[in-house]
Amino acid sequence: MTRSLALMAGLAGAAGAVGLTTLVRPSLARRALRVPDIEATGYALRIAGMMLFALGLFLGGFAAVAVMAIGGL
């Protein structure tokens, strides 16, 4: 696996983990970001969490397909 693919797979894992945590527990992200506890903030954090999770899925998928295409597995 090349360095760029390893970096993409690592970034995919990190984005997926942060996104899933933000999606499931927005209160943790709210405290970390120090934003007010209002209803709109919860919705925005859940949307951002889903987008980060989707980024992780897509990057991970692209990295896996690229490894398979170059015969790395």
Side-chain angles (χ1 to χ4, degrees):
M1 181 183 293
T2 64
R3 190 179 323 148
S4 61
L5 286 174
L7 182 64
M8 187 170 25
L11 186 62
V18 169
L20 190 60
T21 303
T22 304
L23 181 65
V24 174
R25 298 286 309 264
S27 60
L28 293 175
R30 184 181 304 124
R31 275 183 274 163
L33 295 172
R34 296 186 182 126
V35 291
D37 187 15
I38 55 176
E39 187 177 3
T41 304
Y43 290 130
L45 286 173
R46 284 202 168 102
I47 290 169
M50 190 61 227
M51 292 175 81
L52 280 171
F53 187 66
L55 173 70
L57 285 177
F58 280 111
L59 279 180
F62 286 139
V65 168
V67 167
M68 286 190 273
I70 61 175
L73 290 178

